[in-house]
Amino acid sequence: MSSSTGSFFSLSFFSLLLVLLPSFYQVNSSSTPTKIGKGHRLISIEETPDGGIVGILQVKQKNKIYGPDIPLLQLYVKHETQDRLRVHITDAEKQRWEVPYNLLPREKAQSLKQTIGRSRKNPITAQEYSGSELIFSYIVDPFSFAVKRKSNGQTLFNSSSDGSESFGEMVFKDQYLEISTQLPKDASLYGLGENTQPHGIKLYPGDPYTLYTTDISAINLNADLYGSHPVYMDLRKVKGQAYAHAVLLLNSNGMDVFYRGTSLTYKIIGGVFDFYFFSGPTPLAVVDQYTALIGRPAPMPYWAFVYLHLLNDSSVVTRIGFHQCRWGYHNLSVVEDVVENYKKARIPLDVIWNDDDHMDGHKDFTLNLVNYPRPKLLAFLEKIHSIGMKYIVIIDPGIGVNSSYGVYQRGIANDVFIKYEGEPYLAQVWPGAVNFPDFLNPKTVDWWGDEVRRFHELVPVDGLWIDMNEASNFCSGLCKIPKGKQCPSGTGPGWVCCLDCKNITKTRWDDPPYKINASGLQVPIGYKTIATSAVHYNGVLEYDAHSLYGFSQAIATHKALQGLEGKRPFILSRSTYVGSGKYAAHWTGDNKGTWEDLKYSISTMINFGIFGVPMVGSDICGFYPAPTEELCNRWIEVGAFYPFSRDHANFYSPRQELYQWDSVAESARTALGMRYKILPYLYTLNYEAHTTGAPIARPLFFSFPDYTECYGLSTQFLLGSSVMISPVLEQGKSQVKALFPPGSWYSLFDMTQAITSEGGQYVTLDAPLHVVNVHLHQNTILPMQQGGMISKEARMTPFALVVTFPAGASDGKAAGKLFLDDDELPEMKLASGSATYVDFYATTSQGTVKLWSEVQESKFALDKGWKISKVTVLGLGRNGAPSALELDGKPVTAASNIELTTLEQKYLEDLQDGSEKKSIVMVEVNGLEIPVGKNFAMSWKMGISG
């Protein structure tokens, strides 16, 4: 079930302490930092055969603060691509822990010891190493390095303390690494998650940023949550032009990151410095370069966005990617009732989920044959599958210790579990005593795949939800199963530790010299998780690999699902690391049904887009406790536009399915109805994410990087480059003050409404209950869908194109795209017969409007018979009615079914500044039957005001 240990434990303990006790970190983050040692001296440097440089660093003055220094370090630098620079620093004489290259494939750094004790054949005297876009430079004594942008000389990273009071020289010990960078005051930083950030999407000076995967509820602010993403994006302006770059420190050990506004300091408890610098210079380019390294986001199946569902009256609606879950669907009849009630309320429901209620005693890969009898469950699944619905269940990593449990027996036989002193490490989660699979072990990956296969034969699920994989443990330390008592007892909260446990402090791995700000309270790093002195495959310590656990499980689960039927997998994971987006979607964990949590959901969602995990969303209406009716209305108005859109609630909360309130059902139909209309656009964004890393949901600065007003905006977001969501996020409000960046914007709910501003401005929008403001920016061609077909042809629903020009412009351009494919295939790529890609273009010039398409791989769309039935063009200046319509070079006569209509568009009153606005109109072309898979060209004449 979804991390109720995180939710309720955090309420009763963590949250209380966070409120009552100022953490050590917060007290000391603004004070003068301790400077440790005198740094290092570069004693040699030379070129390498692979085009990089390698050098040896010697510690200048040893000290014992946080342990002894490593005397000799190896520096390796390489321009891996024209826009990516790597700086790798490790022990020159001994191999150290790094993120495994088989988990995150990448170039290997220069071999250790290769340059020590041999002649220098290619010594370097210059102190700059230049690539296409970036320049690496260094100072010999004390050693520091800087990374600059070649085009304008801008310094992106500079580790020199230069006498600074805010940080000292680089430190490299076995269990303590420290390095810093100077920053300009005007730099806007984003990232460093997973973290619920109360100040919004921008990193905030003085706030704590600790990276260490932890099962505490997402309601805890400024604390290390379920994922670890040690990457940040830096956006700043140089001479009026915006430049973005990103910095990744590829290190899986626990770390504190201190951001002080003019500097940023990493304090890490192990591993190596493995920096990657991405030159951008746009935010989209940064994410493209970042995901080129860590892995492109997974292609999501089409049903995650849309498929079919038959209503009681046998009419058909197209499904729009909404998911319903709850911990507490005690038996199959409850699940059936939920599906039926969504039908009755005429609210789309695509995927029904089970938390662990379907399991036998909370054990993975089992079925409760009393509450979920297999014959009835299979009949239910056959019914929903026949109409296009899907079914997903939860899996936790902890495998119940039970001699009669086949999954456990096979796990023991295959020796798949993490060890402590030679025995499987014992922990407690929902089944009681559990062992944790070691997904770094190839045998475990094979065993896990076999268990997934066995379960799929038992229950043909459509995806898997992997939870509690930080990994979460209800106990701490070294535990034994108690004798003479039942554990768990079956009464009271299931997350109370009932094993006999004792703390483990005898090793430096369990009690490291530097204490990261774990859980926001500096709790021991083995607290409520796997003991950090436990051992993985090949002797790897949990101390080093801890934050990789959920990532490694996602990789194993992806392999298992892909091997079942050769279909595109769907996995939802709570814990994530750098590269997780290649395998899984993510939800933001246990949130609360509060207005504050509704706001936080936007920041967390768009952060994960930067992290390369674009399929993300929060529990709609909150996981616990009960939301108000008004809040649930407003939340579905936002959540309908999350890339991953799911209502999920806690066992102890009242029911909150969207049909529980008539008003919420109405808001759901409205907001989800718009999601339905823009599904072709959303699915095309899915393809863009998979091929370029581009986030589906984005901050506004992605499209408007030169407009500094939107740099910290956390209450609105974009879908793709052009669709802007401006929701109500405060109780009792019926208006929303929304920021409109420069240009013309058109309401998607009422296309006669226009907003235009040369320099950008705030506009107060009406937003009564059931209304969410969604606007489309100029220069866009948005593919949309209509509805209302018989079931077998529902995916044949006609398409419509919405074209937006700058309001009243005499000359304008617009463009859009559409990707369609067979989503059953594991790969999402443009290929003959299985996918079609269409570029749309439009111009308005000299009184003529032109619209045309260029199709790649037409066969798939032509075979499906998809048609464009309607075109709407917005923002046209008016001197007369449209006329002389031509399609593919031929005049359209009055005898055809094609009609042109004109409607006047209005500017919102807020924008009337006394100046004269240009008269604008929208033109609709109805009655078309243009094949999506065929190039077309359309034009007509009309007066365009200058």
Side-chain angles (χ1 to χ4, degrees):
M1 63 209 54
S2 178
S3 56
S4 297
T5 176
S7 57
F8 281 92
F9 188 75
S10 60
L11 273 178
S12 59
F13 176 69
F14 283 120
S15 299
L16 181 63
L17 287 179
L18 284 170
V19 171
L20 297 178
L21 299 176
S23 78
F24 176 89
Y25 184 107
Q26 291 165 314
V27 170
N28 286 274
S29 64
S30 60
S31 60
T32 302
T34 302
K35 295 186 178 181
I36 303 171
K38 302 293 184 180
H40 298 73
R41 178 188 301 108
L42 181 69
I43 60 174
S44 73
I45 190 164
E46 63 185 78
E47 296 179 1
T48 61
D50 65 354
I53 58 174
V54 64
I56 299 297
L57 306 174
Q58 186 176 56
V59 69
K60 291 183 65 176
Q61 184 182 79
K62 294 181 180 180
N63 65 76
K64 294 185 178 180
I65 302 173
Y66 301 136
D69 292 274
I70 293 175
L72 290 175
L73 303 177
Q74 179 181 271
L75 165 72
Y76 173 72
V77 184
K78 185 180 179 185
H79 293 279
E80 292 190 336
T81 69
Q82 67 176 12
D83 43 42
R84 182 173 81 227
L85 171 70
R86 185 182 191 184
V87 178
H88 183 276
I89 302 174
T90 187
D91 190 328
E93 298 179 296
K94 294 180 182 177
Q95 187 169 348
R96 289 182 61 80
W97 164 258
E98 298 184 47
V99 175
Y101 284 80
N102 65 325
L103 283 189
L104 193 64
R106 59 201 189 277
E107 289 186 35
K108 291 206 171 183
Q110 180 75 26
S111 298
L112 297 171
K113 299 185 180 180
Q114 185 171 330
T115 63
I116 300 176
R118 66 177 177 85
S119 63
R120 310 296 177 207
K121 294 182 180 179
N122 301 297
I124 292 173
T125 55
Q127 291 185 296
E128 282 194 351
Y129 169 51
S130 182
S132 299
E133 303 292 337
L134 298 174
I135 300 171
F136 173 85
S137 62
Y138 60 89
I139 295 173
V140 171
D141 188 8
F143 171 78
S144 67
F145 72 90
V147 178
K148 297 180 181 179
R149 193 183 296 281
K150 195 170 186 179
S151 61
N152 59 12
Q154 180 187 25
T155 299
L156 310 185
F157 191 96
N158 185 358
S159 70
S160 172
S161 69
D162 197 24
S164 169
E165 290 299 317
S166 62
F167 64 88
E169 304 298 338
M170 184 181 82
V171 180
F172 202 115
K173 300 169 183 282
D174 190 23
Q175 290 184 266
Y176 182 79
L177 285 68
E178 179 182 323
I179 195 169
S180 303
T181 179
Q182 302 174 23
L183 290 168
K185 290 182 179 179
D186 63 343
S188 296
L189 269 58
Y190 311 87
L192 296 180
E194 183 173 4
N195 185 309
T196 300
Q197 299 172 195
H199 295 107
I201 57 174
K202 280 177 63 172
L203 301 189
Y204 192 82
D207 275 359
Y209 297 96
T210 298
L211 305 183
Y212 189 74
T213 61
T214 305
D215 174 16
I216 60 171
S217 168
I219 71 171
N220 292 293
L221 308 180
N222 291 326
D224 46 316
L225 299 180
Y226 314 106
S228 175
H229 295 271
V231 61
Y232 69 85
M233 180 185 291
D234 182 327
L235 180 63
R236 48 179 103 155
K237 295 188 86 170
V238 180
K239 297 179 179 178
Q241 184 176 352
Y243 290 86
H245 69 274
V247 179
L248 166 66
L249 173 55
L250 190 60
N251 182 303
S252 63
N253 290 82
M255 68 180 77
D256 288 331
V257 186
F258 293 79
Y259 173 49
R260 296 186 175 88
T262 57
S263 68
L264 185 144
T265 298
Y266 300 89
K267 298 187 176 186
I268 317 155
I269 60 173
V272 301
F273 290 130
D274 195 0
F275 282 104
Y276 291 85
F277 300 91
F278 306 91
S279 65
T282 66
L284 269 179
V286 165
V287 179
D288 187 358
Q289 295 153 14
Y290 180 59
T291 56
L293 171 70
I294 68 167
R296 300 296 194 192
M300 292 295 153
Y302 194 79
W303 59 257
F305 295 91
V306 57
Y307 51 92
L308 316 178
H309 186 50
L310 195 63
L311 296 177
N312 286 342
D313 60 2
S314 297
S315 64
V316 173
V317 294
T318 302
R319 306 311 301 164
I320 58 177
F322 183 69
H323 303 240
Q324 177 62 51
C325 184
R326 176 182 173 81
W327 174 31
Y329 289 153
H330 298 297
N331 55 54
L332 180 58
S333 64
V334 177
V335 176
E336 292 173 321
D337 285 345
V338 170
V339 173
E340 189 65 25
N341 285 326
Y342 267 97
K343 292 179 187 178
K344 290 178 181 177
R346 301 185 68 85
I347 303 172
L349 178 64
D350 307 310
V351 189
I352 188 72
W353 295 59
N354 259 128
D355 211 309
D356 75 345
D357 302 291
H358 70 286
M359 295 181 183
D360 175 19
H362 308 294
K363 298 191 295 293
D364 282 347
F365 306 120
T366 63
L367 197 59
N368 183 322
L369 298 179
V370 175
N371 294 334
Y372 283 82
R374 185 169 182 259
K376 290 185 178 180
L377 178 59
L378 292 180
F380 169 71
L381 294 183
E382 184 178 359
K383 178 182 176 181
I384 67 169
H385 284 157
S386 70
I387 57 177
M389 286 188 66
K390 304 293 177 180
Y391 178 61
I392 296 176
V393 300
I394 200 169
I395 294 179
D396 295 338
I399 300 299
V401 176
N402 186 322
S403 60
S404 64
Y405 175 32
V407 178
Y408 171 74
Q409 291 174 327
R410 291 184 290 272
I412 290 292
N414 285 281
D415 194 23
V416 303
F417 298 117
I418 294 171
K419 301 288 183 62
Y420 187 86
E421 295 183 343
E423 297 295 326
Y425 177 75
L426 192 70
Q428 180 189 330
V429 201
W430 299 114
V434 299
N435 296 149
F436 286 115
D438 175 12
F439 293 105
L440 299 184
N441 187 339
K443 286 198 303 183
T444 306
V445 175
D446 292 340
W447 162 83
W448 186 255
D450 184 57
E451 297 301 338
V452 170
R453 178 192 59 78
R454 289 170 181 266
F455 181 64
H456 192 266
E457 291 176 356
L458 182 72
V459 183
V461 296
D462 300 290
L464 290 174
W465 168 20
I466 52 177
D467 190 17
M468 308 288 284
N469 51 353
E470 291 71 33
S472 179
N473 181 2
F474 298 164
C475 302
S476 300
L478 182 61
C479 302
K480 296 180 179 180
I481 298 175
K483 294 181 179 180
K485 71 173 183 177
Q486 184 178 343
C487 176
S489 65
T491 61
W495 54 86
V496 174
C497 180
C498 59
L499 301 178
D500 288 338
C501 305
K502 61 180 181 181
N503 289 334
I504 305 174
T505 58
K506 62 184 178 183
T507 77
R508 60 193 179 101
W509 312 116
D510 298 294
D511 187 24
Y514 176 77
K515 317 300 183 197
I516 63 169
N517 191 35
S519 301
L521 298 165
Q522 290 195 314
V523 300
I525 57 173
Y527 185 74
K528 297 290 183 178
T529 188
I530 301 168
T532 44
S533 54
V535 179
H536 291 256
Y537 178 69
N538 270 352
V540 170
L541 287 168
E542 170 70 9
Y543 180 89
D544 293 315
H546 172 81
S547 289
L548 298 175
Y549 193 85
F551 178 40
S552 63
Q553 186 193 13
I555 294 173
T557 307
H558 187 274
K559 181 179 179 182
L561 287 178
Q562 201 166 48
L564 284 179
E565 298 174 327
K567 294 182 178 180
R568 191 174 300 173
F570 179 84
I571 300 164
L572 184 72
S573 179
R574 190 173 71 179
S575 185
T576 59
Y577 184 72
V578 174
S580 284
K582 183 179 179 180
Y583 306 97
H586 173 65
W587 93 107
T588 63
D590 295 351
N591 56 2
K592 288 177 71 176
T594 68
W595 293 94
E596 289 77 14
D597 282 68
L598 172 58
K599 292 176 188 175
Y600 301 151
S601 75
I602 294 177
S603 295
T604 306
M605 172 182 64
I606 54 185
N607 255 339
F608 268 88
I610 294 172
F611 297 151
V613 189
M615 193 67 168
V616 60
S618 295
D619 285 345
I620 293 170
C621 300
F623 181 60
Y624 67 92
T628 65
E629 182 175 349
E630 181 191 2
L631 174 61
C632 208
N633 268 279
R634 294 307 192 184
W635 209 316
I636 186 57
E637 290 172 2
V638 181
F641 300 98
Y642 293 156
F644 174 67
S645 185
R646 184 183 72 161
D647 182 314
H648 178 45
N650 187 286
F651 180 96
Y652 294 93
S653 300
R655 298 285 289 271
Q656 64 181 47
E657 292 85 2
L658 301 181
Y659 55 76
Q660 297 289 345
W661 303 273
D662 289 342
S663 68
V664 176
E666 183 177 345
S667 291
R669 287 189 290 266
T670 300
L672 290 171
M674 181 54 70
R675 179 184 177 96
Y676 148 63
K677 290 178 180 178
I678 65 172
L679 268 169
Y681 179 69
L682 282 174
Y683 194 68
T684 301
L685 293 177
N686 179 32
Y687 175 69
E688 287 187 16
H690 178 57
T691 53
T692 70
I696 296 173
R698 310 172 187 177
L700 269 64
F701 68 74
F702 264 64
S703 288
F704 305 95
D706 291 326
Y707 186 49
T708 55
E709 189 70 24
C710 67
Y711 281 15
L713 188 66
S714 306
T715 53
Q716 297 166 248
F717 61 96
L718 292 170
L719 292 176
S721 61
S722 304
V723 175
M724 184 171 71
I725 318 299
S726 305
V728 172
L729 302 173
E730 296 179 72
Q731 183 176 2
K733 300 293 185 180
S734 59
Q735 292 182 319
V736 60
K737 187 178 180 182
L739 180 64
F740 283 81
S744 298
W745 297 84
Y746 303 93
S747 169
L748 278 182
F749 280 99
D750 181 358
M751 294 185 194
T752 64
Q753 289 191 10
I755 295 173
T756 187
S757 172
E758 286 187 10
Q761 67 184 92
Y762 279 93
V763 179
T764 300
L765 305 170
D766 286 333
L769 209 60
H770 317 312
V771 169
V772 58
N773 282 279
V774 182
H775 289 84
L776 182 63
H777 196 233
Q778 65 185 37
N779 307 326
T780 300
I781 300 178
L782 179 72
M784 303 176 76
Q785 265 187 311
Q786 302 169 12
M789 299 291 286
I790 63 173
S791 60
K792 290 184 179 180
E793 299 175 356
R795 277 198 73 184
M796 302 282 291
T797 310
F799 283 80
L801 302 178
V802 178
V803 183
T804 59
F805 291 122
S810 56
D811 290 280
K813 295 181 180 179
K817 47 200 138 187
L818 174 64
F819 178 81
L820 301 160
D821 77 340
D822 177 0
D823 78 317
E824 292 290 288
L825 297 176
E827 292 188 68
M828 190 180 207
K829 63 181 181 180
L830 190 56
S832 179
S834 62
T836 294
Y837 188 89
V838 187
D839 282 300
F840 297 106
Y841 301 97
T843 60
T844 175
S845 179
Q846 298 179 342
T848 298
V849 178
K850 295 180 179 179
L851 173 66
W852 69 97
S853 71
E854 295 177 2
V855 180
Q856 299 179 55
E857 301 294 352
S858 62
K859 186 177 186 302
F860 179 72
L862 289 174
D863 288 349
K864 294 294 183 183
W866 279 306
K867 301 287 180 65
I868 299 168
S869 65
K870 180 180 178 180
V871 169
T872 304
V873 182
L874 308 179
L876 293 171
R878 179 173 185 178
N879 283 336
S883 61
L885 177 64
E886 290 187 359
L887 185 58
D888 294 331
K890 298 178 181 179
V892 175
T893 66
S896 74
N897 293 323
I898 299 175
E899 295 182 356
L900 274 79
T901 57
T902 305
L903 285 173
E904 184 180 352
Q905 292 184 272
K906 298 179 180 179
Y907 297 97
L908 285 187
E909 256 182 54
D910 302 67
L911 293 171
Q912 298 299 332
D913 55 6
S915 61
E916 185 178 345
K917 300 287 184 181
K918 295 178 180 179
S919 175
I920 55 172
V921 297
M922 60 183 282
V923 172
E924 290 187 342
V925 187
N926 286 284
L928 299 167
E929 291 189 1
I930 301 172
V932 172
K934 183 180 178 183
N935 291 350
F936 77 89
M938 177 191 299
S939 66
W940 67 84
K941 293 185 181 297
M942 67 183 301
I944 304 293
S945 59

